[in-house]
Amino acid sequence: MRLVPHGLEPDRALRKILPRSLFGRTLLIVVLPLILLEGVALQIFYGSHLDTLSRRLAGGVAGEIAFVLDQADAFPDARSQIFANAAYRFEFAFHFHPGRKLTPRRLPHVFGPVDTDLASALSVGLGRPFVLVWHGPPGMVRVDIQVSDGVLTIDVPRKRLYIGELYIFFAWLGGTTLILLSLAILFLRNQVRGIRRLALAAEAFGMGRDTGPIRPEGATEVRRAGAAFNRMQDRVRRFLAQRTAMLAGVSHDLRTPLTRLRLAIAMLPGETSDIDGMTSDIDEMERLIGLYLAFARGEGTEQAQVTDLAVLIEEITARAARGGAVIALNIAPLPSITLRPEAMRRALANLLDNAARHARRIEFAALPEGERSVRVLIDDDGPGIPVERREEVFRPFESGSAAGTGLGLAIARDIIAAHGGDIRLDDSPLGGLRVVVVLPV
C-alpha cells in the first residue's frame, strides 16, 4: 500500500485544474473575487430585497382581485358597474364567460419569484379555483377564475407585478463584469508582455544569439528584472571579450617557444628518425594546446546566424572522407537554423572524428523532428561505450580510449547545450555507438 502525504493528492488535482501561465493564474486571482462579490450581491438582491418586493406586489394584486370578487358576490345586480370601476381604478380588463367550467392545466412559468408569489397570494385570498396564464395578451397576465355562474377572466398589467429596476440591475451587473474583466485582461497583458520578452531574451542570450539590451517595461519589479538582465548581459559580454583576449595572448606565448624548439630541432645534426619524432611531438603539443584553448574559450565570441545545416554537414563529412573515413550520408530536407556555424562545425567534427577513430563504417543522418527541432544521428560499427560509462565520457579529460584527449565530447556537449540542444549516446543498429543530437529550430 502506498502512503501519500497528507494534502499531497488535493494539491496535484488543484495543479491540474489551475492554468499554467502567469497570465491565466493572475487573471484567475482577479476574476474569482469578482465573481464571488457579484454572487453575494445577487443573493442579497435576489434572495431578500427582490423576494420581499415581489411578495408585496403579488399580495396587492391578489387583494384587489379578491376585493372585486367579493363586491361582485355581494351586489350581483351591480356586477358590471363594479367591473367597470375596477378596470378604471386597477387597470384590470374583465371578460365574463357565463356557463363555462374552468379547466385546470399546467402552464409554463416565468423567470423570477413573481409567478410563485402571485399563485400563493391568489390561493390565500380567493379561496376558489383559478388558472394563471403568463403568456397571454401582450403586457398582461391572465387570471381565469371559476365563479358560480361561469368563468371570469381578468387581465392584469405585468407592470403591476414587476420591479422596473430588476433588468437594470442585471444589466449593470453584467456590464460592470465585462468592463472590469476587459480592463483586467488589458492590464495583465501589458504586465506579462515584459516578463515574456525578458524570458525570450534570456533564452536567446543563453543560446548565443546576442539580440542586444531589452527595453524594460511593465511593473516596477519587472522593470528592475529587465534592467538587471541588461547589466548581467553586458558583464558577460565584457567577461567573454577579456577572456578571449587573454587566451589569445596565452596561445601566442605558448606557441612561441614551440616554434623556437621546432627551428632548433631542424638545425640539429643527428638521425632523421629522431628529429622526425621530436617534430611529431611538437606538432602534437600544438594540436593539444589548440584543443585546450578551444575548450576554454567555448567559441563565445562568435555571433549566431541563419545557417543551412545540410551544407555544413556535407562539408564536415567531405573533409572526414578525405582523411580516409568511410561515411554514408543521409540528409532529409532541413529547415534553416539560427546557430553559430563555426562552433557547430567544431562540435559535429569532434563527434565524427571520434567515430572515425574507433570504427570502419559510419552512417551520418539528419532529419527534421516535428516543426521545432532537427535530429542528427551518427552511427558507427566500432566497439561502442558501455552504458555505465556513457555519461562519464562527456566530462573533460575523460577519454574513452588511451588515444584520446578526453575533450572532444566535452566540447561537443558544451557547444550543443549553448545552442539549446541536447546530446546523448545510445546503441547503434550497426553494432557500435549512436550519437543523437537534437537542435532547436
Side-chain angles (χ1 to χ4, degrees), residues 64-90 92 94 152:
E64 292 169 357
I65 293 175
F67 175 76
V68 171
L69 292 179
D70 290 342
Q71 292 296 313
D73 291 342
F75 305 99
D77 296 336
R79 177 183 294 179
S80 299
Q81 186 62 36
I82 293 172
F83 289 165
N85 291 336
Y88 174 74
R89 298 290 181 181
F90 305 140
F92 294 162
F94 293 89
L152 178 63

Side-chain angles (χ1 to χ4, degrees), residues 154-220:
I154 304 177
D155 292 331
V156 180
R158 284 179 176 264
K159 63 181 181 181
R160 295 286 311 277
L161 298 168
Y162 284 93
I163 303 172
E165 290 80 6
L166 175 62
Y167 298 104
I168 298 177
F169 174 78
F170 283 107
W172 171 81
L173 204 63
T176 53
T177 301
L178 292 176
I179 292 174
L180 292 177
L181 187 60
S182 301
L183 291 176
I185 291 175
L186 181 62
F187 174 77
L188 290 176
R189 280 184 176 175
N190 291 334
Q191 300 305 311
V192 173
R193 185 184 297 118
I195 300 176
R196 187 179 293 114
R197 287 182 177 177
L198 178 60
L200 293 175
E203 183 178 3
F205 186 69
M207 296 171 62
R209 303 173 185 175
D210 191 357
T211 58
I214 63 172
R215 182 172 62 88
E217 59 179 339
T220 303

Side-chain angles (χ1 to χ4, degrees), residues 41 92 103 129 239-240 301 315 327 398 440:
F92 294 162
T103 303
F239 169 75
L240 291 175
T301 59
E315 294 175 356
I327 305 172
E398 289 285 345

Side-chain angles (χ1 to χ4, degrees), residues 272-332:
T272 305
S273 59
D274 295 336
I275 295 176
D276 291 342
M278 288 186 288
T279 303
S280 178
D281 290 340
I282 292 175
D283 291 338
E284 180 66 14
M285 291 175 65
E286 288 184 337
R287 188 183 70 83
L288 291 177
I289 289 173
L291 191 61
Y292 295 152
L293 291 178
F295 175 74
R297 187 167 60 248
E299 309 293 343
T301 59
E302 186 183 5
Q303 297 299 318
Q305 55 184 292
V306 178
T307 305
D308 191 336
L309 185 60
V311 174
L312 189 145
I313 292 175
E314 290 173 354
E315 294 175 356
I316 295 171
T317 53
R319 182 181 303 173
R322 287 194 297 268
V326 179
I327 305 172
L329 191 60
N330 179 19
I331 302 179

Side-chain angles (χ1 to χ4, degrees), residues 68-131:
V68 171
L69 292 179
D70 290 342
Q71 292 296 313
D73 291 342
F75 305 99
D77 296 336
R79 177 183 294 179
S80 299
Q81 186 62 36
I82 293 172
F83 289 165
N85 291 336
Y88 174 74
R89 298 290 181 181
F90 305 140
E91 300 182 359
F92 294 162
F94 293 89
H95 307 280
F96 181 66
H97 308 283
R100 182 180 298 182
K101 294 294 182 180
L102 185 65
T103 303
R105 57 190 185 277
R106 183 180 297 273
L107 297 171
H109 298 282
V110 294
F111 174 75
V114 62
D115 55 353
T116 305
D117 293 337
L118 182 58
S120 300
L122 290 174
S123 299
V124 173
L126 294 182
R128 63 186 76 195
F130 68 92
V131 172

Side-chain angles (χ1 to χ4, degrees), residues 234-252:
D234 186 59
R235 287 195 296 267
V236 171
R237 288 196 200 96
R238 289 202 306 269
F239 169 75
L240 291 175
Q242 292 171 359
R243 193 181 70 166
T244 302
M246 182 191 68
L247 291 175
V250 170
S251 174
H252 179 268

Side-chain angles (χ1 to χ4, degrees), residues 244-401:
T244 302
M246 182 191 68
L247 291 175
V250 170
S251 174
H252 179 268
D253 293 341
L254 289 176
R255 286 194 171 100
T256 298
L258 290 176
T259 303
R260 288 199 300 266
L261 284 174
R262 184 188 297 276
L263 292 175
I265 290 172
M267 297 174 65
L268 285 176
E271 295 290 336
T272 305
S273 59
D274 295 336
I275 295 176
D276 291 342
M278 288 186 288
T279 303
S280 178
D281 290 340
I282 292 175
D283 291 338
E284 180 66 14
M285 291 175 65
E286 288 184 337
R287 188 183 70 83
L288 291 177
I289 289 173
L291 191 61
Y292 295 152
L293 291 178
F295 175 74
R297 187 167 60 248
E299 309 293 343
T301 59
E302 186 183 5
Q303 297 299 318
Q305 55 184 292
V306 178
T307 305
D308 191 336
L309 185 60
V311 174
L312 189 145
I313 292 175
E314 290 173 354
E315 294 175 356
I316 295 171
T317 53
R319 182 181 303 173
R322 287 194 297 268
V326 179
I327 305 172
L329 191 60
N330 179 19
I331 302 179
L334 300 177
S336 297
I337 304 179
T338 301
L339 47 79
R340 291 175 289 169
E342 291 304 319
M344 186 57 61
R345 188 191 308 274
R346 177 181 297 274
L348 296 179
N350 285 350
L351 296 175
L352 193 56
D353 291 343
N354 184 72
R357 191 180 303 117
H358 300 93
R360 292 175 299 177
R361 179 186 173 193
I362 302 172
E363 291 185 359
F364 202 130
L367 61 155
E369 189 177 55
E371 299 180 355
R372 305 298 300 272
S373 61
V374 170
R375 179 184 293 266
V376 177
L377 303 175
I378 301 177
D379 290 294
D380 63 59
D381 61 350
I385 298 176
V387 177
E388 62 273 11
R389 296 205 60 241
R390 288 177 182 173
E391 185 62 29
E392 297 178 3
V393 296
F394 284 110
R395 300 172 186 169
F397 309 107
E398 289 285 345
S399 175
S401 67

